[in-house]
Amino acid sequence: RLSDIVFFEVYNRKIVVHTIEQDFTFYGKLIELYEQYKNDGFIKVGKSHLINAGFIKFIEKNDIVLSNGTKILLGRSIKNQVVQEYLNYLSGM
């Protein structure tokens, strides 16, 4: 289920799907996943991560901390955009 996906990650030219229960991989492109799921609460964080906003615990200066304890580096150049998308998610836009 989409609601069980914590985040997608590009690793060795594969997409790793990190879910609540397990991880699995497939070949694909992160930008295609983003286009498919951006209206479902997923936020693209750099070139390698697509995060389910529902699992964001908080945003630090340089990291996004997820509810499962995973920290994902947040680049300065996209921080404002990511924060805005997260605020939009929280407000239900």
Side-chain angles (χ1 to χ4, degrees):
R1 294 182 349 183
L2 197 59
S3 62
D4 290 341
I5 297 172
V6 179
F7 67 99
F8 296 96
E9 175 181 30
V10 176
Y11 186 75
N12 286 336
R13 291 188 248 157
K14 293 181 185 175
I15 302 290
V16 180
V17 183
H18 299 273
T19 70
I20 295 169
E21 298 284 326
Q22 63 186 4
D23 299 341
F24 60 93
T25 62
F26 67 93
Y27 287 100
K29 295 184 180 183
L30 194 66
I31 191 66
E32 291 173 359
L33 291 173
Y34 175 66
E35 289 300 322
Q36 185 174 354
Y37 298 125
K38 66 183 176 184
N39 295 323
D40 294 314
F42 283 82
I43 301 171
K44 189 169 182 296
V45 182
K47 295 179 182 180
S48 299
H49 294 91
L50 183 62
I51 299 172
N52 184 339
F55 288 96
I56 295 176
K57 188 172 182 179
F58 56 88
I59 298 175
E60 294 181 328
K61 182 177 181 181
N62 297 315
D63 295 307
I64 294 176
V65 179
L66 303 177
S67 59
N68 67 358
T70 302
K71 283 188 173 185
I72 295 176
L73 183 63
L74 179 59
R76 287 183 291 178
S77 63
I78 61 164
K79 182 177 182 178
N80 290 338
Q81 176 187 342
V82 169
V83 169
Q84 186 59 53
E85 285 187 46
Y86 183 54
L87 291 174
N88 289 345
Y89 167 81
L90 291 176
S91 67
M93 293 181 74

